[in-house]
Amino acid sequence: MRRFGRFVSLLILPLIFEIVYSALKSLILNKPPIWSFEISLFLYGCFFMLGSAYCHMDKKHVAVDIILHYLPPKGKRLQRIFSEGVVLFVALVMLWVSIPAAWRATLIEERSTHQTPFNPEVWWYRWIIPFSCALLSAQALKDMMIAILKRPSRTPEIREPGQ
Amino acid sequence: MARELYPLLMFLILFLLLAAGVPIAFSLAAVSIAFSFFLWGPGALNILVSAAWGSMNNFVIIAVPLFIYMAYILQKTDVVADMYDVIYKWSGKLRGGLAIATIVVGAILGAVSGVVAAGVIGLGLIGLPQMLKHGYDKKMSLGAVLAGGTLGQLIPPSTNMVLYGCVTGVSIGGLFAGGLVGGIFLAFVYIIYILIRGLLNPAFCPSLPPEEQVSFKEKIRALKGIILPGVLILVVLGSMLNGVATPTEAAAFGAAGALFIGLCKRKLTWDIIYSSCYETLSVSSMVGWTMIGAGAFGSVFSGLGGNTLVANIAMNMPGGPNMVLAVSGVFIFVLGMFLEPGAIIFLAVPIIIPILTRMSFDPLWLGLAFNFILQTAYLSPPFGLSLFYLKGCAPDDIDIVAIYKSSVPFILLQILAVVIIFFFPSIVMWLPRYLGIGV
Amino acid sequence: AAKVNWRLVTHAMPGTEQQHIAEVFCETVKTLSKGEFVIEPFAGGVLFPVFESFDAIANGVVDAGLVYSAYWTGKDPLFTLTTQPGNPLGTFAEAAYFADKLEPWFAKLYAKHRITYLGHAVISPIREQFMSVVPINTLEDLKGKKVRTAGFGARFYEALGATTISLAAPEIYTAFQTKNIDAAEWTFWDENLRMGFHEVAKYVIDPAIHTGAHENWPLLVNPGRWDSLSQENKDILLAARDVMRYHAAMLYVLEVKARQRWREVPGITIKSWSPEDEVKASDVGNALVIEECNKSAEGKEFLDIYRSTLWELGYKDQAKKLGYTE
Ligand code: NA
Ligand code: NA
């Protein structure tokens, strides 16, 4: 998951490059590349959606952890299990609903609603939702099992320099 | 159970889930799932997928990861540290110089982009560590970041004002002109507050120790370090305001420019480029999923008859015009504790504003006053997007309670500002009047 | 409580005249059914992003919708034909007549995508407005300009030498202000006043050349929900739709008034293209329509309906250009 997340995170670089390139081309030749708009959306959408499991693994999805501080260890563990359960529930429901949606989009070979001259096929982009949710469910399930089985909550990571 | 109570029940369950420490994005999503399923059946679960697909196709919010990446690069290549050191030197005996600088940078970021997440997280990464490093009070530092980063909703361009204008028919140009002076006015209110707190308590936001205060000549020399970032800001701002670039493009230029400055300073390493990538990913993913959750929650809330609830309350408001105005203001404020401003504009504004307009309040002034109040929705606990964005990028030892507490004085200042523009409307109205738009 | 409770979504902004028509529709249904059939209207973007309406109606997230068909070109390229560049129809009656002719065609198209089409609800009363921040007085001026448009319009303006982009409604104002776009085609005089475009776009071409009056809102319902209605409620729904058609026709008055208000705004120039340019543009549009229609059997069917309607209504030259034979 970590390796996958880090791979996904690199998408920000082509995103920057692509927008800067398009803007410059638009400025100099007064004609931006026709694919610019949708390609930025694709890069951004894949970036933040596929990154959700990685974000969850690092517990970077913000929570209001007021009560947490006052709970005894057992309560903390229950809280962990409950919280992971809710995340798992949401991810599974989204997974369940988004697969038929993506499948229908595939059948009609859905194209972009943005109606640019580029007009790319977007059915594959629909599959990013179930794929992200599958990753997220796997991560939440894993974290929940760890909390239930009461193993040490996280294997110590080798922190890389500069982090 | 009466149908009218469902919207309130939604708030209650959301509150419980939040209190139980469930991540915000998933608390919102879980409540939406439960209510849409039980009331409208399994087909309605698609609302969550719709919200996700909507976010994946929203060009405006692409600016968020770009700004975050820029902020990380500027921070890691010490550009920011250099800039704040210069400001620190320049502010000399003045207490609170760094917090004031944070507010000013927030206003500038706000003029570049209309996306609150970008402003708050940008400042959280840039300003917060510097203020803490120089011994500023934690609450003051957090508050300055929250308030400064959210200014972009008053200072144009502002998505909320465009929505407000479309919904009420008030001139968007008038709102922008009034918002510009209003935003600057609010920034001044913040700055005065910081100065006063600094005067009353020197430890709150300390000035430069006397032994480190330097001569004017040295101050000039110190400026050398910030020439490049200064140029970057000018280029980004200039390109946006001249219409050469959209806000999203300006953000991409900012990110590319930050990499360029890092290179020039010979501080940029592969490691910085790489680690900024995955730190940006975590924060952007948090922001994106929180927007999905908030979108779905707002949808289900409206669909459950939130409008009816709002309309019932609006129709039964007591007293004369000023009383109705005050009660509506309080009502919008309370909604803002639980909903994001966009949802409130669609939900409550079309019902409440016509009532007030009929009571002969100036529509443009009303629009500006309500945009001030709507802005508090970003900051007011328990559900405030700016609060969550800041938590997402602040150091781990800063908990949400500290952020909640830090927001309170700045919320009060915003309310104070609304009261001031009630008694002195020309503060916000002179520019629209001068330009002759919307009045 | 009512026996049937529905939710209906539109693509209009809350508080607009169009949204008001949707509210009248729901009110009519309630009155006719003596409170037994209640529809709650939601403006665009309140329940979900406007572009999600299609799936939402098909999936039953909402029961009914009043949303522009041209948004769905991504679902099926045939929706491109919602507008026809070069279409000369200029009045409500003509466009409503054409929409009635097309009703079986659209019903079949929507049915393929799990949506029941119940005919037109709101027909635009006049042509769309074309606004710009720089003067665009001839077709030649249009070359190299950046135009905000949608649907078939994108290909049309590209064919005329412009660059096109698609922007959501709330972004157009800022794009004008920062001169990110030179021109935009967007609905009608009244709505454009409300959106504040007269503050930023100082040049207007009237009428716009993209398309004539056309169906802006079809009445769409979820097939399952439609089938489960009693015959009486079905009749009520259609009767209320016809009340909407009346209000749609009356939008013309608002348009005339709003156009007058536009004319009175200081610094605004309203012009028309020369007849030669109009014909040239219309020919480019006709060629695109023929090309699009020839892509499929359904498209050819559409072309037949289109050109025979033009012929019937007296636009004989254009009908012939589109391949109509007596
Ligand atoms: Na702004
Ligand atoms: Na809030």
Side-chain angles (χ1 to χ4, degrees):
Chain A
M1 189 66 75
R2 182 162 301 281
R3 220 182 267 168
F4 177 75
R6 299 213 158 164
F7 174 73
V8 168
S9 79
L10 294 178
L11 288 175
I12 187 85
L13 297 174
L15 180 63
I16 295 170
F17 179 77
E18 188 270 318
I19 297 177
V20 168
Y21 169 79
S22 304
L24 288 179
K25 193 173 171 222
S26 166
L27 183 67
I28 296 164
L29 304 175
N30 197 27
K31 192 147 180 73
I34 56 165
W35 39 262
S36 162
F37 186 77
E38 272 100 351
I39 293 292
S40 337
L41 284 172
F42 291 157
L43 287 168
Y44 168 71
C46 294
F47 180 72
F48 90 94
M49 285 299 286
L50 293 173
S52 62
Y54 174 77
C55 181
H56 185 61
M57 178 181 66
D58 279 354
K59 294 292 160 276
K60 287 286 171 64
H61 280 296
V62 171
V64 182
D65 41 9
I66 300 179
I67 296 176
L68 212 57
H69 297 300
Y70 307 103
L71 287 178
K74 197 179 165 198
K76 276 197 177 121
R77 197 173 138 225
L78 282 175
Q79 188 279 335
R80 248 336 259 294
I81 296 170
F82 175 72
S83 169
E84 293 297 341
V86 173
V87 177
L88 184 62
F89 167 71
V90 170
L92 288 177
V93 169
M94 271 183 85
L95 181 68
W96 181 55
V97 184
S98 61
I99 288 177
W103 176 241
R104 272 194 304 273
T106 311
L107 288 182
I108 62 170
E109 294 173 35
E110 185 176 14
R111 286 174 181 271
S112 169
T113 32
H114 296 288
Q115 308 183 328
T116 56
F118 179 41
N119 194 25
E121 299 195 1
V122 297
W123 54 268
W124 64 271
Y125 192 41
R126 289 255 183 205
W127 285 101
I128 297 294
I129 303 177
F131 191 46
S132 306
C133 293
L135 290 172
L136 183 60
S137 333
Q139 187 61 45
L141 184 65
K142 185 179 158 203
D143 291 350
M144 188 158 87
M145 293 319 285
I146 290 171
I148 290 173
L149 301 174
K150 219 179 171 178
R151 274 185 294 183
S153 63
R154 184 88 47 87
T155 43
E157 284 158 26
I158 302 143
R159 290 250 150 181
E160 282 151 55
Q163 196 177 335
Chain B
M1 183 170 166
R3 250 186 110 81
E4 289 70 37
L5 292 178
Y6 286 146
L8 297 179
L9 189 64
M10 272 185 87
F11 282 158
L12 183 70
I13 296 180
L14 172 68
F15 187 74
L16 290 177
L17 283 179
L18 287 180
V22 178
I24 289 139
F26 302 102
S27 304
L28 290 161
V31 176
S32 318
I33 288 172
F35 277 81
S36 55
F37 181 80
F38 284 114
L39 292 162
W40 306 324
L45 292 177
N46 279 290
I47 247 174
L48 209 56
V49 178
S50 282
W53 187 246
S55 289
M56 289 164 74
N57 285 286
N58 184 340
F59 190 72
V60 179
I61 54 176
I62 298 182
V64 173
L66 298 172
F67 270 117
I68 298 174
Y69 191 73
M70 173 182 80
Y72 269 117
I73 295 287
L74 290 177
Q75 184 204 50
K76 290 180 190 216
T77 51
D78 293 334
V79 175
V80 180
D82 293 354
M83 284 183 80
Y84 270 82
D85 284 345
V86 172
I87 296 166
Y88 201 45
K89 273 190 190 138
W90 271 77
S91 46
K93 275 183 230 145
L94 184 77
R95 291 190 202 122
L98 297 184
I100 293 169
T102 303
I103 299 282
V104 173
V105 174
I108 293 173
L109 277 179
V112 176
S113 149
V115 187
V116 163
V120 172
I121 295 170
L123 288 189
L125 293 173
I126 292 171
L128 185 62
Q130 298 304 317
M131 286 186 279
L132 295 178
K133 184 178 92 185
H134 289 289
Y136 274 47
D137 174 68
K138 197 162 82 178
K139 243 174 79 178
M140 166 70 88
S141 313
L142 291 169
V145 168
L146 285 172
T150 312
L151 274 177
Q153 273 318 306
L154 280 179
I155 296 175
S158 152
T159 35
N160 282 344
M161 282 187 174
V162 173
L163 287 182
Y164 184 95
C166 295
V167 165
T168 58
V170 170
S171 155
I172 297 167
L175 287 172
F176 275 12
L180 180 63
V181 277
I184 294 172
F185 166 67
L186 192 56
F188 267 108
V189 172
Y190 293 155
I191 290 171
I192 290 167
Y193 166 77
I194 292 165
L195 289 174
I196 292 175
R197 291 301 300 262
L199 270 178
L200 294 180
N201 184 355
F204 219 67
C205 36
S207 60
L208 205 58
E211 65 276 13
E212 282 182 41
Q213 285 173 12
V214 292
S215 68
F216 186 72
K217 216 169 157 188
E218 272 181 72
K219 282 182 185 171
I220 294 288
R221 202 172 299 143
L223 279 181
K224 208 179 66 188
I226 63 166
I227 290 175
L228 270 176
V231 170
L232 172 71
I233 290 169
L234 285 181
V235 167
V236 170
L237 254 185
S239 62
M240 225 293 295
L241 296 177
N242 282 318
V244 177
T246 62
T248 305
E249 287 169 347
F253 276 118
L259 289 169
F260 178 73
I261 293 173
L263 267 181
C264 293
K265 289 189 67 185
R266 296 164 196 277
K267 287 264 177 75
L268 192 69
T269 61
W270 283 114
D271 192 62
I272 288 178
I273 295 178
Y274 185 47
S275 65
S276 300
C277 283
Y278 54 75
E279 285 169 31
T280 302
L281 177 66
S282 285
V283 182
S284 310
S285 204
M286 183 275 289
V287 171
W289 280 73
T290 305
M291 283 180 175
I292 294 174
F297 185 87
S299 300
V300 179
F301 180 80
S302 316
L304 270 182
N307 302 57
T308 325
L309 182 78
V310 172
N312 286 342
I313 293 174
M315 296 306 162
N316 294 314
M317 274 194 270
N322 285 340
M323 187 65 187
V324 174
L325 177 70
V327 174
S328 340
V330 170
F331 182 55
I332 297 275
F333 179 82
V334 172
L335 277 183
M337 292 166 69
F338 298 94
L339 289 174
E340 47 124 7
I344 302 175
I345 293 176
F346 272 10
L347 197 74
V349 164
I351 298 170
I352 289 179
I353 294 301
I355 297 177
L356 289 166
T357 311
R358 277 200 294 278
M359 293 179 161
S360 73
F361 287 105
D362 180 281
L364 179 60
W365 177 84
L366 264 183
L368 291 166
F370 270 81
N371 272 285
F372 270 77
I373 303 176
L374 282 169
Q375 182 155 278
T376 61
Y378 286 105
L379 303 180
S380 56
F383 182 83
L385 289 176
S386 290
L387 307 167
F388 304 148
Y389 296 154
L390 179 55
K391 173 78 177 89
C393 68
D396 286 340
D397 60 324
I398 289 174
D399 64 6
I400 194 84
V401 181
I403 295 177
Y404 278 172
K405 283 184 185 160
S406 76
S407 72
V408 174
F410 288 89
I411 294 171
L412 293 176
L413 287 174
Q414 291 190 354
I415 295 170
L416 176 71
V418 175
V419 174
I420 295 177
I421 64 165
F422 175 76
F423 288 107
F424 305 100
S426 41
I427 293 177
V428 286
M429 297 294 284
W430 71 265
L431 187 59
R433 278 185 193 141
Y434 177 75
L435 297 172
I437 6 180
V439 284
Chain C
K3 285 196 187 116
V4 184
N5 281 292
W6 272 21
R7 284 172 301 130
L8 169 140
V9 68
T10 78
H11 74 246
M13 297 290 277
T16 55
E17 199 53 44
Q18 289 214 344
Q19 186 60 19
H20 178 66
I21 293 182
E23 285 157 12
V24 168
F25 168 70
C26 297
E27 204 50 47
T28 312
V29 169
K30 192 174 166 188
T31 311
L32 291 176
S33 67
K34 300 192 174 59
E36 295 292 326
F37 184 6
V38 174
I39 306 181
E40 196 181 350
F42 292 95
V46 173
L47 292 182
F48 33 71
V50 170
F51 289 144
E52 291 300 299
S53 313
F54 192 89
D55 291 342
I57 298 167
N59 292 329
V61 175
V62 291
D63 308 277
L66 295 164
V67 187
Y68 194 30
S69 301
Y71 291 154
W72 316 125
T73 55
K75 303 286 183 188
D76 196 315
L78 288 171
F79 282 109
T80 311
L81 293 168
T82 306
T83 61
Q84 310 83 32
N87 178 331
L89 304 181
T91 67
F92 175 87
E94 286 177 322
Y97 180 72
F98 181 36
D100 282 336
K101 291 261 171 190
L102 282 174
E103 187 169 329
W105 189 84
F106 268 114
K108 205 163 70 185
L109 175 57
Y110 272 109
K112 202 165 91 188
H113 296 278
R114 306 177 301 145
I115 293 174
T116 300
Y117 172 84
L118 296 178
H120 63 93
V122 170
I123 297 270
S124 64
I126 58 177
R127 291 167 157 209
E128 294 206 340
Q129 209 182 343
F130 184 87
M131 302 157 287
S132 57
V133 288
V134 290
I136 302 179
N137 293 326
T138 61
L139 277 189
E140 200 50 40
D141 289 349
L142 191 59
K143 295 216 166 88
K145 297 293 188 297
K146 214 166 163 190
V147 180
R148 183 274 165 207
T149 177
F152 218 159
R155 274 165 50 204
F156 179 55
Y157 288 111
E158 292 271 330
L160 293 173
T163 308
T164 61
I165 55 166
S166 171
L167 290 175
E171 292 161 42
I172 300 176
Y173 184 96
T174 312
F176 266 139
Q177 201 178 34
T178 57
K179 303 210 165 39
N180 255 303
I181 51 174
D182 298 306
E185 182 191 71
W186 179 262
T187 63
F188 312 109
W189 301 90
D190 181 57
E191 172 148 340
N192 291 340
L193 267 183
R194 162 180 288 273
M195 307 271 294
F197 293 153
H198 59 293
E199 294 166 356
V200 280
K202 292 298 175 195
Y203 303 91
V204 181
I205 295 294
D206 173 41
I209 48 170
H210 167 197
T211 184
H214 58 279
E215 180 190 83
N216 207 16
W217 276 4
L219 176 58
L220 307 172
V221 295
N222 176 284
R225 307 287 158 80
W226 171 250
D227 290 341
S228 68
L229 283 185
S230 67
Q231 188 55 45
E232 194 192 345
N233 280 342
K234 282 182 181 170
D235 294 341
I236 286 175
L237 203 72
L238 295 180
R241 176 203 64 187
D242 292 349
V243 171
M244 257 196 297
R245 290 177 173 178
Y246 164 76
H247 285 279
M250 292 307 284
L251 282 177
Y252 181 73
V253 177
L254 271 182
E255 282 308 302
V256 173
K257 289 181 182 170
R259 180 156 58 185
Q260 204 50 44
R261 296 230 307 280
W262 268 86
R263 291 218 167 100
E264 286 158 10
V265 177
I268 295 230
T269 314
I270 302 181
K271 280 210 168 159
S272 303
W273 261 301
S274 68
E276 296 78 43
D277 273 354
E278 290 228 17
V279 172
K280 239 188 264 172
S282 155
D283 285 347
V284 171
N286 288 335
L288 286 173
V289 172
I290 293 172
E291 182 195 313
E292 184 63 31
C293 287
N294 281 333
K295 284 179 185 164
S296 63
E298 292 96 329
K300 286 180 182 135
E301 218 178 295
F302 181 95
L303 186 59
D304 267 342
I305 304 171
Y306 180 38
R307 59 197 178 192
S308 61
T309 307
L310 290 186
W311 180 268
E312 281 179 65
L313 295 176
Y315 300 95
K316 300 204 170 180
D317 280 352
Q318 193 163 350
K320 277 186 190 157
K321 281 180 185 168
L322 287 163
Y324 182 81
T325 46
E326 284 173 71

